[in-house]
Amino acid sequence: MTNLQQSIASITGLISLAGLLVALVLGGSVAYLAFFLFGTLSLLRFARPLSLWADGVLALAGTSILMQSLPGFDGTPPYVWLALAAAWFFAWMFIEQLSVALTAEKLPERPFGLVIPVVFGLMLLFFWEVVTRGARIPEVLLPPPSGIWIRIIDSVPMLYADFIQTFVKSVLSGYAIGCLSGFAVAILVDRSPFLKRGLLPIGNFVSALPIIGIAPIMVMWFGFDWPSKAAVVVAVTFFPMLVNTVAGLNEVGSMERDLMRTYASSYLQTLGALRLPAAAPFIFNALKINSTLALIAAIVAEFFGTPIVGMGFRISTEVGKLNIDLVWAEIAVAAVAGSVFYGLIALVERAVTFWHPSVRKKRA
Amino acid sequence: MSEAVHESLPASFGLWRVVKRLWHGSALPVLIVVMAILIFWYAMAIEMNTPWQVRLNERANAEVTWTEFVAQTWNQTKPLLPAPHQIVSEIWDATVGMDFNSRRSLAYHAWVTLSSTLLGFAFGTLLGVGLAIIIIHNDASNRSLMPWIIASQTVPILAIAPMIVVGLGAVGVTGLVPKALISMYLSFFPVVVGMVKGLRSPETIQLDLMRTYHASPGQVFTLLRWPASVPFLFASMRVGIAISLIGAVVGELSNAAGGGLGVRLLTGSYNGQTIQIWAALLLAAALAATLVFLVGAAERVVNAAMGVRT
């Protein structure tokens, strides 16, 4: 065991021991007593090695016991918090040992490499759930994940309408127009070195500006419905695309250009066969940056005036009504939509730029 | 070929040489593009403000010449698109021409935004560096944290900024801190990503050298990894400070009492005060540019002091 593992193991064992004593004194249920007992017994690993799966099973047992028992308590007894801490540390111990085993190539990377981030994410959700419900944090401040999930299930039609309004209408149309026009302008600018020197510093400058601030102006120009949001998305996505594409088109070295010239290839041939493929990593970088920017821009733009549908509208009005679980439901939808959008672009990127070192390394 | 011509010119063509250098540098092209944007802006201001001005003139039964009409479109009180000089004079009146403590002073609002930006940027940089240090030293945290740090940026935090401000306000955390937390959430990401790259940038041969010196992990960090990561830190900080300003502005949208440039945007949009919106927007832009410039200047000073060869 490494130093870190020894410390985690001793802390986990001691917490379990403390939990066992407290649960005995306060009369905890059999499940708790058993969990703490096995937790304390895990200290024996200092005498005889323990499989990492034992830690995984203990963490799982702790979480399920906690989840089962939570609703039944009037006032949370202190050993519940000890059980939470013990379960958390067991999960940590499990992850730590698993990653050591993966690095030593004792376990294959393919399924087990994914286990670590999944366990971490689930433990975060679990921690959130137990703390909000155990400490009786008011729903207005922070609802538990289960409450948010129930809210999502209950209000699917409304969430769907908001999603269509904000994501499909504003984000996708604005994203397409913004990225395509940024790309087109970059290709045009690329032909003139003078324009390139003039536009690039300005483009770089504008990409750092708080462009979202033009939302109120766009609402005045294009009205309350989705076109004004799409306009904000266009403005936000245009400059990153422009700057990245121009940088990418310059990525080709003089060697390759000269080669194309010896082939007597035309401007368009050089562009299509050499420079655009070379610019692809930059273009995809811009597409990925823009995917998150676009969603944020559309939602924020809705704060400045909107018809009575849309994710930004829902968030800003429900905050006022203190329906925080609905707001979180909306956020969950936005986060999932944003991640899927990003993931799709990343998948296309891997397929298109298969030759790039950063992609090749991962596959090997 | 132009080089050869250039060499053969007599010295009296000094002026030509200056023009040439300007043409091939970036100052003149940028200037020309800016001029083109300004001309386009004035033209658009005429175009967009015309319908309203025509109606105004009809109501007043005023016969105006063409030049007078153009001047009118550039000087409306609530234009659809204000002309640049209107925005500049609004910024001037609202900053220099007004008492700093006045609620209508743009300088006061800019100060509110600036302070929460800087606070959030400081939090975000510290959090980012801290996370990066943990991630490079422990493989389990690398595997468990990194995917979620990336996923965290697909959560539209700016969109829930109002809720965070309201929620934290309910527990008694008010003022700068909620806005700064939003800036922190946005600005820690580039710092983590850049610093993980930077702290891992020393090559195996250098790490091996440290091992032959019997350096402790702390010494490896302070003597090798940290100095190697400084260029990455500054590159990340340039990105981080720009997005922390955006976070601060959006965080202000939900708390009209707190002041800030975001509040000016929101009240301007409710009252149709387009000049006020544009003034706040341009001031935010100037603020962002200044902050990015300052980080860049600090970068040059530190790099020079550390002997980085460029």
Side-chain angles (χ1 to χ4, degrees):
Chain A
M1 278 198 283
T2 61
N3 280 342
L4 182 65
Q5 287 179 1
Q6 284 178 358
S7 352
I8 304 174
S10 11
I11 292 173
T12 319
L14 292 177
I15 291 174
S16 303
L17 184 59
L20 185 62
L21 296 176
V22 175
L24 275 176
V25 172
L26 295 177
S29 67
V30 182
Y32 273 102
L33 287 174
F35 171 62
F36 284 129
L37 183 64
F38 280 111
T40 315
L41 286 178
S42 78
L43 277 175
L44 290 174
R45 81 172 90 217
F46 284 102
R48 208 179 149 276
L50 194 63
S51 159
L52 65 103
W53 300 107
D55 288 297
V57 169
L58 275 170
L60 192 65
T63 49
S64 36
I65 292 168
L66 274 165
M67 293 300 285
Q68 293 268 312
S69 66
L70 261 184
F73 284 110
D74 319 313
T76 314
Y79 59 81
V80 168
W81 301 120
L82 287 168
L84 175 64
W88 179 269
F89 274 102
F90 274 123
W92 186 3
M93 191 68 196
F94 171 63
I95 286 177
E96 181 67 37
Q97 286 170 305
L98 189 59
S99 96
V100 170
L102 282 169
T103 314
E105 293 183 352
K106 281 182 196 153
L107 286 172
E109 185 73 35
R110 208 74 221 357
F112 294 105
L114 279 177
V115 169
I116 295 180
V118 170
V119 167
F120 182 75
L122 287 178
M123 284 310 284
L124 273 187
L125 276 183
F126 164 72
F127 189 76
W128 176 358
E129 177 84 25
V130 173
V131 168
T132 44
R133 277 164 62 186
R136 294 169 190 280
I137 292 176
E139 294 249 321
V140 177
L141 276 186
L142 187 66
S146 56
I148 298 170
W149 177 247
I150 292 168
R151 205 42 189 296
I152 293 178
I153 299 296
D154 284 350
S155 37
V156 165
M158 186 167 75
L159 291 174
Y160 182 71
D162 290 345
F163 173 78
I164 293 292
Q165 168 78 16
T166 303
F167 194 82
V168 178
K169 289 183 181 165
S170 320
V171 172
L172 287 186
S173 59
Y175 181 82
I177 298 173
C179 289
L180 283 176
S181 53
F183 181 74
V185 171
I187 300 262
L188 291 178
V189 165
D190 184 62
R191 294 214 75 168
S192 149
F194 182 81
L195 268 184
K196 202 155 64 181
R197 280 199 305 277
L199 266 183
L200 257 200
I202 294 176
N204 270 322
F205 170 72
V206 176
S207 339
L209 298 184
I211 304 184
I212 285 176
I214 64 164
I217 297 159
M218 291 298 151
V219 170
M220 271 175 209
W221 289 1
F222 297 101
F224 280 118
D225 210 348
W226 64 268
S228 61
K229 281 69 189 176
V232 179
V233 175
V234 169
V236 167
T237 52
F238 177 79
F239 287 99
M241 192 62 180
L242 173 69
V243 172
N244 272 292
T245 309
V246 170
L249 288 173
N250 283 335
E251 186 61 9
V252 179
S254 50
M255 215 51 143
E256 291 92 339
R257 272 182 224 224
D258 285 347
L259 180 65
M260 292 306 276
R261 206 169 302 143
T262 60
Y263 291 159
S265 62
S266 66
Y267 167 77
L268 281 180
Q269 282 172 326
T270 313
L271 190 70
L274 173 65
R275 302 182 66 207
L276 278 184
F282 288 80
I283 295 170
F284 275 103
N285 187 27
L287 285 175
K288 286 198 277 191
I289 297 173
N290 281 345
S291 70
T292 44
L293 281 182
L295 189 57
I296 291 174
I299 294 179
V300 172
E302 287 180 357
F303 294 169
F304 289 97
T306 167
I308 52 161
V309 62
M311 299 164 99
F313 163 78
R314 197 75 61 205
I315 289 173
S316 54
T317 50
E318 299 301 321
V319 164
K321 293 190 217 153
L322 292 179
N323 284 334
I324 302 296
D325 51 351
L326 190 56
V327 177
W328 278 99
E330 211 58 78
I331 292 162
V333 173
V336 170
S339 306
V340 170
F341 196 16
Y342 188 96
L344 283 179
I345 296 168
L347 277 182
V348 177
E349 177 183 23
R350 292 192 104 190
V352 173
T353 64
F354 58 90
W355 47 271
H356 196 259
S358 66
V359 179
R360 274 203 325 234
K361 215 194 295 174
K362 273 178 215 154
R363 284 211 175 151
Chain B
M1 198 193 85
S2 63
E3 288 299 310
V5 172
H6 191 91
E7 290 304 312
S8 64
L9 285 172
S12 61
F13 280 79
L15 183 67
W16 174 240
R17 200 175 291 178
V18 169
V19 170
K20 200 133 197 225
R21 188 176 302 159
L22 278 177
W23 185 263
H24 285 289
S26 62
L28 187 68
V30 169
L31 203 67
I32 289 180
V33 172
V34 169
M35 291 300 286
I37 291 174
L38 280 180
I39 292 168
F40 180 70
W41 190 332
Y42 272 109
M44 282 308 286
I46 301 176
E47 163 74 22
M48 294 189 66
N49 298 334
T50 290
W52 176 239
Q53 193 61 46
V54 166
R55 220 184 311 162
L56 277 183
N57 289 350
E58 272 172 9
R59 271 188 219 159
N61 266 332
E63 285 289 322
V64 287
T65 63
W66 189 76
T67 43
E68 278 171 349
F69 184 78
V70 168
Q72 281 176 332
T73 57
W74 286 345
N75 291 297
Q76 293 178 351
T77 46
K78 288 186 178 182
L80 207 49
L81 177 63
H85 69 264
Q86 288 179 290
I87 303 168
V88 172
S89 75
E90 162 77 14
I91 292 180
W92 179 263
D93 291 345
T95 50
V96 183
M98 206 168 280
D99 180 25
F100 179 77
N101 293 315
S102 157
R103 298 284 299 167
R104 282 169 54 221
S105 159
L106 206 51
Y108 162 79
H109 290 288
W111 169 247
V112 171
T113 303
L114 178 66
S115 41
S116 67
T117 302
L118 290 178
L119 190 64
F121 174 65
F123 285 168
T125 308
L126 287 178
L127 177 68
V129 171
L131 281 175
I133 292 174
I134 294 174
I135 283 172
I136 62 145
H137 283 114
N138 179 275
D139 186 52
S141 29
N142 176 28
R143 287 170 182 274
S144 50
L145 285 175
M146 253 345 232
W148 292 105
I149 288 175
I150 293 168
S152 76
Q153 298 302 303
T154 64
V155 176
I157 187 77
L158 278 183
I160 55 170
M163 193 191 63
I164 295 171
V165 173
V166 171
L168 287 174
V171 249
V173 183
T174 50
L176 285 184
V177 176
K179 287 187 283 175
L181 286 179
I182 293 155
S183 297
M184 178 186 88
Y185 189 95
L186 289 172
S187 62
F188 92 95
F189 178 70
V191 176
V192 172
V193 173
M195 281 305 277
V196 165
K197 216 180 249 174
L199 290 171
R200 282 193 182 141
S201 64
E203 286 164 33
T204 326
I205 194 166
Q206 296 164 320
L207 289 166
D208 283 347
L209 180 66
M210 294 303 277
R211 202 171 303 142
T212 61
Y213 289 161
H214 195 255
S216 68
Q219 284 171 323
V220 173
F221 182 79
T222 51
L223 295 174
L224 178 59
R225 287 189 189 272
W226 177 255
S229 70
V230 166
F232 292 84
L233 177 63
F234 276 105
S236 313
M237 276 164 56
R238 276 207 304 269
V239 180
I241 193 130
I243 50 181
S244 350
L245 181 74
I246 300 177
V249 170
V250 177
E252 283 156 1
L253 291 180
S254 53
N255 181 14
L261 293 173
V263 173
R264 295 292 286 179
L265 285 179
L266 198 65
T267 52
S269 120
Y270 288 155
N271 304 327
Q273 293 282 4
T274 39
I275 301 181
Q276 181 190 328
I277 299 177
W278 281 96
L281 198 57
L282 281 195
L283 202 62
L287 210 55
T290 316
L291 289 173
V292 172
F293 173 78
L294 285 179
V295 173
E299 176 179 16
R300 278 189 292 278
V301 170
V302 172
N303 278 355
M306 291 178 60
V308 174
R309 277 172 302 224
T310 44

